[in-house]
Amino acid sequence: MVIFLKRTDTLDKYVIRGGRQLHGEVDISGAKNAAVAIIPAALMVKGVCRLENIPEISDTDKLLQILSRMGARVSYLGKNAVELDCTSVHMSDDIYDMTRTIRASYYLIGSMLGRFGEAKSTMPGGCNFGVRPIDQHIKGMVALGAEMDTGGGFITAKAKGGRLRGCKIFLDKVSVGATINVMLAATLAEGRTVIENVAREPHIVDLANFLNSMGADIRGAGTDVIKIRGVDSLHGGAYTLIPDQIEAGTYMAAVTATGGEIILNNVIPKHLECISAKLTEMGAEVEEYGDRVLVRRTQPLRHTNLKTRPYPGFPTDMQPQLSTVLCLADGVSVVTEGIWDNRYKYVNELRKMGAEIQVDGKTAIIEGPVQLRGAPVAACDLRAGAAMLIAGLVAEGETTIEDVIYIERGYQDFVGKLQRLGADVRVVSVPDEPCPAVPDVG
Ligand code: EPU
């Protein structure tokens, strides 16, 4: 069963002829990283949930398929809306082929523990930008009274006495994933949970708002302490997800690279503040109008430095795209990756296009300006793929991007949206070739 995506995976490539400015309007889709938390959260709801603004991407499609295999009724209503009825869900071993292929499937552990008092899923698989431990997820669930086992490629968990019990938890590391998973597990626990040193990303607030609108009692999301009073059950309702901060930032970076002027529709400008600030330093103009943002770039680009940090700092998921734009800026820029150990694999691909970037551990020194040249390159992960598209848009000649399956995990209709902004980009399908297995990236 495929929920939204019409075509099967093929060895698609994107072919771009660079040199055109972007002009026009683009509608930003719902936030991927909110959707991949809220869909598993819906497993805990006894009743009908209508979710709007779900991005039509392969990660959300797979999570919906997983819920369907667990006995949920899943109906696609069109226009990014999905109806989910998880009233009669059950544990299932028929999900592991899918859980293995998406990182966010580990949120099912928190929600299964809440719903069934026990949980089983696969360990999230291969990492693309360094070690990705889940010790803080485990620590939180153990503190809530779960017996956890991570042997043999699986995570299994059982609540002592059949139900988790609220407690105080201090996370040693600011982690989006651990914050979300522990929130999920605590929602239906008995008593009060206080989680300290939590992540503050907009999708954490969105998850709390979703759960509260279904009857949960969660306070403090968006600050560094979250307080949860466990409830006995969640009821159905309707919820609209926030727009995707990183998708919006990617188009903002793209027009800053190509020059031109675009309007982004359906955004929350506050979530974009630090991206807007960096792009402004680099020579773009950003104007906010309610839920729309205009980005224009007419002047030459200036170099700058940036360091990625947890929200409200500069997002790591924008680092590859901004580093690509900095290749075009006059002068030396220093980029420091503050979240992941190894998020510079895309630099080898950019070098094939003429970029002058030296990487030393978590620091990249970028010398500009260079005129990028079209070349055959690969998307090493989701945001690296977005960076390759931006590079292709400004490169002289033709760029071919392979492994675009990574890009399609996180960007709804990236090629279509760019075409409508005037880019010369197309998908070339190689039918009948099976897709290679894709390790986790989200
Ligand atoms: N960490 C630990 N222990 C843990 C969990 C995390 O040490 O138990 C460390 C990580 O190794 C990392 C840091 O804490 O150094 C932050 O990791 P975090 O848990 O915040 O990342 P995540 O939840 O695995 C999510 C997004 C990523 C995004 C990061 C940081 C999803 C599905 N993924 O990952 O998104 O880079 O937060 O903002 O929400 C993307 O969308 O392209 C993407 C990779």
Side-chain angles (χ1 to χ4, degrees), residues 32-33 132-136 175-177 317 339-340 383 441-442:
K32 168 184 93 84
N33 289 343
R132 297 184 73 175
I134 57 164
D135 57 303
Q136 298 304 305
S175 157
V176 172
D317 296 340
I339 308 288
W340 300 112
R383 309 304 172 187
V441 289

Side-chain angles (χ1 to χ4, degrees), residues 32-33 36 103-104 106-107 129 131-137 173-178 201 203 316-317 339-340 343 382-383 441-442:
K32 168 184 93 84
N33 289 343
V36 299
R103 178 133 200 111
Y106 56 24
Y107 296 146
F129 24 79
V131 186
R132 297 184 73 175
I134 57 164
D135 57 303
Q136 298 304 305
H137 302 232
K173 187 111 198 193
V174 177
S175 157
V176 172
E201 269 67 4
H203 36 286
T316 173
D317 296 340
I339 308 288
W340 300 112
R343 206 172 192 174
L382 170 60
R383 309 304 172 187
V441 289

Side-chain angles (χ1 to χ4, degrees), residues 113 137-146 159-160 163-169 181-187 189-190 192-195:
L113 269 171
H137 302 232
I138 307 277
K139 170 181 156 165
M141 290 185 206
V142 168
L144 287 164
K160 287 180 217 154
R163 187 175 179 189
L164 298 177
R165 281 174 180 275
C167 65
K168 197 164 177 178
I169 299 159
N181 230 342
V182 179
M183 266 170 83
L184 290 169
T187 296
E190 198 180 314
R192 190 162 180 265
T193 300
V194 178
I195 322 170

